[in-house]
Structure formats: structure tokens, C-alpha cells
Amino acid sequence: MSAVGHELSHDHAHDHHHKETFVTKYLFSMDHKMIAKQFLITGIFMGIIGIVMSLLFRMQIAWPEESFGIFKFLLGDKMAPGGVMKNDAYLALVTIHGTIMVFFVLTAGLSGTFSNLLIPLQIGARDMASGFMNMLSYWLFFIACVIMISSLFVESGPASAGWTIYPPLSAVPQAIPGSGTGMTLWLVSMAIFIVQSTMGSLNYIVTVLNLRTKGMTMTRLPLTIWTLWVTAIIGVVSFPVLFAAALLLVFDRSFGTSFFLSDIFIAGEVLHYQGGSPVLFEHLFWFLGHPEVYIVILPAMGLVSEILATNSRKPIFGYRAMITSVLAIAFLSTIVWGHHMFVSGMNPFLGSVFTFTTLLIAIPSAVKAFNWITTIWKGNLQMNPAMLFSIGFVSTFITGGLTGIVLGDSTLDINVHDTYFVIAHFHLVMGISALYGMFAGIYHWFPKMYGKMMNKNLGYVHFWVTAISAYGVFFPMHFIGLAGLPRRYYTNSAFPLFDEMVNVNIVITVFALVGAAFQLVFLWNFFYSIFYGKKATQNPWRSTTLEWTTPVEHIHGNWPGEIPEVHRWPYDYSKPGHDDDFVMQHVPMKPGEEQLHH
């Protein structure tokens, strides 16, 4: 049945290929490859905004009460009178930075970009199951981005209750300046984002299940597809819960209900709320919030697995163990959310249950880390930028993951909860690791996206400065966190206890400024290479998977003739009995050749 569908869509694509206008090709395209580029470029643009925000509030923490021209220029007189940042502006920047980076950059930049690009190409499909739904998914994402950015220009200021938007700050419009229209826009933006994310996820799941080419069994899928598919399943399970939380929060804000509110006093005035509980919101938020970490990191794990095997010229170590660990992570990620709530007055027994499940998730994560290291071990390493970022990913994932063991233990977590230790942990394990995975993916699949090669030397500069800066920013944060420095404080100058940490914050900020400046090297390399890069060959990395059998010039339908049939697993590197050190998936098995499935 799916083969018939392929042929029909193939003929259909060729019937209409010559009629494509600028609008149908670049704006409202239903071609998965173009939609992947739309997600990527929108994600890069949102990333620039998110990084600039982080630099502004880092400068405020390092040099509190100082006047900066850039504050006045970017934030205006209302948020930074005389170039001195107000505390409301600081909270707003922290909130929108977190929201943009977690949802709009990492989720869309990894799942949106690489699910769209790789799923049809690597499973041997003409396109996604529903091209229209795919296009609609991107445009809803774009609208969500526009609404989130527009909240920055609201008179009362954008949402400023932290990216976790806990009530009552987010539920009572008069609580703080950022609780007004800016908060409403935040909720509308997130609701639209969740709808697009769920639509996209359903599309990815159906495509992988129904549109695989002949011979492409589930155990012949590249690990990229396994991770993207499982990520989509986690999204479908957990995103609707945040949607429900956002909807109930809108009811509390606008219709007088009290799902999350009880006994609120503002300036001596008693508000008419009773019976609700802000802890209920925490449960609903973190039921998505923790799986979200894996929605972000699993696609990066898949990309890295593929790139490490390709550039080590070795089969991935423990293919089936890797699949099992992805499935284990997916299951466990939905039963660990309570570790974000150890200080919320949780029953100690329930805390011990969440401690157990949290520590348990370290096992499949460790399986993946050891398998990556074993894949590289004694390989014929090709040290291109994609490989460097993949190795960097393994490094930050391990260092960031080790501190997670501290935070996952309820007894230890209480001491460092809401300090810089938490920021250091999740930025390394989720933020930096996911960005490394994204950069690795962009360098590796850029020839497939644009038919050009990125500049390798600029890629090396980009990696080394980024790697040094990332550790320069987040490694010292562990120590100031252990010393008790709280997060989200506009200034620490009110506490003599923290005076000696001012210099550490200055060092962190300098590393952040240097690291951010060198992202311009990447931006230049990316956009320059699209137009003027060296033309790519069909299979520049001598890789085995199906996407490298498609022509360099994009066609709607991916393959000009029949779709290749798959005869082997995706990691036949350096296999004895073959002339080349790689055998592509569509090459038939030789008589007596052994089939590998580590």
C-alpha cells in the first residue's frame, strides 16, 4: 500500500514541479526539505535573540547598577532609565531567554529541522505522511515566535515570572508588571507552539511507521530515526498536559476561577480566590517540563550517534542496546518530574520514589555514553567540525549529567535548589549539549540541505572558542552555586556574604561575551556557504545511509526514479570483503556475507 502511495506522490510531484512559484516553493512549501530549512533559519534567528538577552542580564549580574549604552539602546528608557537596568527588565529577560531557548530554539532547531529533513530521506519515503500538516506545523511555529517576540513591546512589559511561570505571579494580572498583557501573550504563544509541536509529532510517528521503503525494517533504521521517532512519541504524551495547564491558567487570569490560587493578598487587599493550589500547576508544568529535556536531547543523541560512526569509520557499538536505552529513557522521563519539586512540601516518601526513578534514568544515559566512547575507540577518526561537536557533546553530556545525580537526590538537592548549581547542571546537560548536537547536525547535513560545503577552518575556530567559552561560563557556576548564590537575583550586592563572588561572575560574563561573539563566525559560515560555498558531491562523508543516494539538486519526491531497496543495517563501515570502507544500505548482500547487528 505504501509503495503505491509513493508512486502516486512521485508522479504527482513531477506533474506539478514546473508550476512552482516563489510562494509555493519558499513560503508555503509542502516539501519536507524546504520546511526543514524554514525551521532551521527561524530557530537560528530566535537563537540570536535568546543569546543577546542572556548577554544583557549577564552584564547586569557582573556589573550591577552600572550604566550601559547598549541597555538604553536595546531596552529603552522604560526598562533601563539612564542605561541602568531595572529589576523588572532583568526578570523579563531571564524569562523570555529561557522560553525562547528551550522551546523555540532547541525543540524546533533539533526536532523541527532534523525530523523534517531526515525522516523521509533516511527511511526511503517521497515525503512526510501529510505535507499540508507539515506546512501548517511550521507556520503555527512561526506565528508562535512572532507573538512571543511581540510580547517584548507591550506597555506593561513581557512575562517575567521565570520560564516556568509559576502562579500566583503568572495567574494574578496585578501581581507584578510582567503579569499583565505580556503574560497573556506568553500563554497564547505557548498554546500555539504546543499545537504545532503535537501536529508535527503525529506526522513524524505516522511517517516512520507507514512509509518505510522495501527492506527497511525497524532494526535497519539509523539511530537518528529511532531518536526522532521516540522524541515525537514523548511529545504527543506530554505536551497536551502543558496545554491543559496553560488553559487553566488563562481561566484563572481572565474568568475568575481558582485552579491554582488560594488566599491571595496584594497590598493588604484580599482577592476572592480560594480552594486552588499552585503546586498543582507545578505538577502539570513539570510533567511536560522534564520530558521536554529529553525532547531536546534525544534528537541530538541520534545525530551524534550517526556522525560518530561515520567519522570513526566503524559500526556504532551496541546498536540494539542504543535502541533499548532510547526506549528506556522515553519511559523513565515521564515518571521523574517530581525531582523539580523536592522543596515544594512534597511527602518525603514520594520524594524517595522520585529520587529512585531519577537515579534509574542514569543507567540508559550511561549506556549511550559508554557506547559512543567505544565507537570512537581505535577508530580511523576524521576530525571535521561535525565530529568535533559530536565529541564535545559526549563531553558536556557526561559532565552535566554527573551533577544531575546530586540534584536527583532529594536530600542533597534541598541544599542547592534554586542556586547557580542548578543553572550549571541543566545548561551543560541540556543547553550546551543540545546546541552541540545541533551544530554537529548542521555541519554534517549542510551538503544535503543546500548542496554546498561549509568552510572547515571556520568550523574549527567556531568549535574551539565555543567549547572553551561554554566550560568557562558554566563550570565556575557549580562552585558559586555550592556556596549558596541564588539564581534569578537581579543583583547580589545586598548580601555581604556574596561579595567575594563578584569577580567570579565577571569572569563568567567575559567568557559569555567571547563565546557569543564567535557565534558570528558560525553565522557568517552558514549564510555565506549557502550562496558561495564549494559545491558538494553526492556523498561527501562517504556515509552509508539512504539520504546520500538522492541527487545533490533537490527534487520534490527525493529520488528521480525508483526508491532504493534496503538490504543491510545502516552501519556497515570498514567491513571485511569490500573494496571501500563503507557499504551503503541499498547495496545487496554478497553470497555468504554476514549481516551485522551489534
Side-chain angles (χ1 to χ4, degrees):
M1 179 116 178
S2 62
V4 174
H6 283 166
E7 292 314 313
L8 285 174
S9 63
H10 172 53
D11 296 340
H12 181 74
H14 277 268
D15 287 347
H16 293 276
H17 191 60
H18 60 285
K19 292 181 185 171
E20 280 199 321
T21 61
F22 177 83
V23 172
T24 57
K25 186 173 182 186
Y26 293 106
L27 296 181
F28 299 108
S29 174
M30 294 193 203
D31 182 0
H32 70 99
K33 300 181 290 297
M34 182 56 67
I35 293 169
K37 293 180 198 174
Q38 289 174 327
F39 267 110
L40 180 59
I41 289 173
T42 311
I44 287 173
F45 177 72
M46 292 299 281
I48 294 167
I49 295 172
I51 288 171
V52 168
M53 287 179 167
S54 69
L55 297 180
L56 294 176
F57 65 70
R58 279 281 1 141
M59 288 165 69
Q60 162 62 29
I61 298 168
W63 300 286
E65 308 300 330
E66 291 275 330
S67 173
F68 289 101
I70 187 104
F71 287 179
K72 192 168 182 184
F73 175 68
L74 288 176
L75 302 175
D77 269 335
K78 191 165 182 302
M79 295 177 91
V84 178
M85 189 185 292
K86 287 174 70 178
N87 53 1
D88 293 337
Y90 174 82
L91 292 172
L93 287 172
V94 170
T95 301
I96 304 298
H97 159 78
T99 307
I100 283 178
M101 296 308 282
V102 171
F103 294 110
F104 293 91
V105 178
L106 298 177
T107 306
L110 282 157
S111 280
T113 301
F114 291 103
S115 295
N116 270 305
L117 178 71
L118 295 178
I119 287 176
L121 286 172
Q122 290 196 336
I123 69 172
R126 296 281 180 209
D127 207 317
M128 283 288 176
S130 170
F132 177 76
M133 200 153 115
N134 212 14
M135 176 194 77
L136 202 57
S137 171
Y138 168 72
W139 280 104
L140 286 173
F141 170 68
F142 183 80
I143 291 165
C145 289
V146 170
I147 293 171
M148 187 61 72
I149 293 167
S150 69
S151 75
L152 298 169
F153 302 99
V154 170
E155 179 68 24
S156 59
S160 49
W163 77 279
T164 55
I165 58 154
Y166 286 169
L169 289 182
S170 58
V172 182
Q174 62 266 47
I176 52 175
S179 297
T181 314
M183 188 68 240
T184 305
L185 288 171
W186 192 100
L187 289 166
V188 170
S189 171
M190 283 308 300
I192 295 170
F193 173 83
I194 292 165
V195 170
Q196 77 79 20
S197 198
T198 309
M199 281 172 59
S201 295
L202 288 169
N203 214 353
Y204 307 149
I205 293 166
V206 171
T207 305
V208 172
L209 289 178
N210 287 351
L211 297 184
R212 301 191 306 278
T213 187
K214 192 174 176 190
M216 180 63 84
T217 59
M218 292 298 275
T219 49
R220 284 179 176 169
L221 287 174
L223 288 172
T224 36
I225 302 301
W226 269 104
T227 55
L228 294 166
W229 183 63
V230 170
T231 299
I233 293 170
I234 301 175
V236 168
V237 168
S238 57
F239 263 119
V241 179
L242 184 62
F243 187 80
L247 206 59
L248 297 181
L249 198 51
V250 169
F251 280 18
D252 276 10
R253 290 173 57 79
S254 306
F255 301 110
T257 58
S258 55
F259 292 104
F260 307 128
L261 295 169
S262 186
D263 305 328
I264 304 284
F265 293 79
I266 291 186
E269 180 197 351
V270 183
L271 302 189
H272 300 291
Y273 291 108
Q274 59 191 53
S277 166
V279 175
L280 170 62
F281 180 86
E282 290 189 39
H283 279 291
L284 293 174
F285 180 89
W286 287 115
F287 189 83
L288 163 93
H290 200 81
E292 171 65 20
V293 172
Y294 296 97
I295 289 170
V296 163
I297 206 74
L298 276 175
M301 288 175 167
L303 301 177
V304 162
S305 301
E306 187 77 19
I307 292 164
L308 289 175
T310 301
N311 290 301
S312 300
R313 314 310 296 164
K314 274 177 66 184
I316 192 84
F317 182 84
Y319 173 77
R320 287 174 189 249
M322 289 290 242
I323 293 171
T324 308
S325 66
V326 170
L327 295 171
I329 285 171
F331 170 68
L332 290 169
S333 73
T334 59
I335 54 170
V336 297
W337 79 89
H339 66 220
H340 295 271
M341 300 170 57
F342 286 146
V343 296
S344 66
M346 180 186 283
N347 181 308
F349 173 73
L350 189 59
S352 68
V353 172
F354 280 120
T355 296
F356 175 70
T357 56
T358 303
L359 297 180
L360 209 57
I361 209 167
I363 297 170
S365 302
V367 166
K368 299 190 88 59
F370 285 123
N371 283 11
W372 288 322
I373 292 166
T374 316
T375 301
I376 302 169
W377 182 252
K378 292 190 175 176
N380 176 19
L381 305 185
Q382 321 288 305
M383 285 299 188
N384 51 43
M387 182 64 162
L388 287 174
F389 273 109
S390 298
I391 294 170
F393 169 92
V394 177
S395 163
T396 53
F397 183 71
I398 292 170
T399 48
L402 287 172
T403 54
I405 295 170
V406 174
L407 295 170
D409 187 306
S410 53
T411 320
L412 298 173
D413 173 72
I414 287 167
N415 298 291
V416 289
H417 192 85
D418 260 343
T419 68
Y420 272 82
F421 190 87
V422 178
I423 295 183
H425 159 71
F426 83 79
H427 274 84
L428 275 179
V429 81
M430 177 178 139
I432 298 298
S433 297
L435 277 176
Y436 280 3
M438 192 160 113
F439 285 137
I442 292 169
Y443 281 108
H444 188 77
W445 278 284
F446 190 86
K448 187 43 55 193
M449 277 186 165
Y450 294 102
K452 303 284 179 68
M453 302 295 286
M454 288 179 78
N455 184 303
K456 198 184 271 191
N457 292 330
L458 289 179
Y460 291 144
V461 172
H462 176 218
F463 169 74
W464 284 111
V465 179
T466 303
I468 293 164
S469 300
Y471 272 127
V473 170
F474 297 113
F475 205 69
M477 281 189 190
H478 290 94
F479 300 102
I480 58 176
L482 287 170
L485 193 66
R487 64 191 287 198
R488 291 185 182 149
Y489 275 34
Y490 154 75
T491 171
N492 301 304
S493 53
F495 306 97
L497 171 70
F498 300 132
D499 284 351
E500 60 204 36
M501 293 177 214
V502 171
N503 291 335
V504 181
N505 260 324
I506 291 171
V507 169
I508 290 171
T509 304
V510 169
F511 271 118
L513 289 164
V514 171
F518 272 83
Q519 300 317 303
L520 295 172
V521 173
F522 166 76
L523 290 174
W524 165 260
N525 195 359
F526 181 84
F527 288 107
Y528 182 85
S529 300
I530 290 175
F531 300 105
Y532 305 110
K534 196 178 98 184
K535 199 168 181 330
T537 56
Q538 189 176 15
N539 189 358
W541 313 119
R542 296 158 56 78
S543 198
T544 58
T545 41
L546 285 185
E547 75 268 32
W548 305 106
T549 62
T550 60
V552 178
E553 288 75 24
H554 287 174
I555 56 168
H556 202 143
N558 297 336
W559 287 269
E562 284 186 24
I563 299 173
E565 185 180 335
V566 170
H567 297 280
R568 55 182 73 232
W569 79 317
Y571 300 105
D572 270 347
Y573 290 103
S574 303
K575 196 172 185 187
H578 288 272
D579 298 335
D580 285 318
D581 68 349
F582 71 107
V583 192
M584 299 193 78
Q585 277 191 281
H586 68 293
V587 175
M589 303 289 280
K590 292 180 177 179
E593 185 182 348
E594 190 183 342
Q595 186 159 344
L596 295 176
H597 264 300
H598 284 239

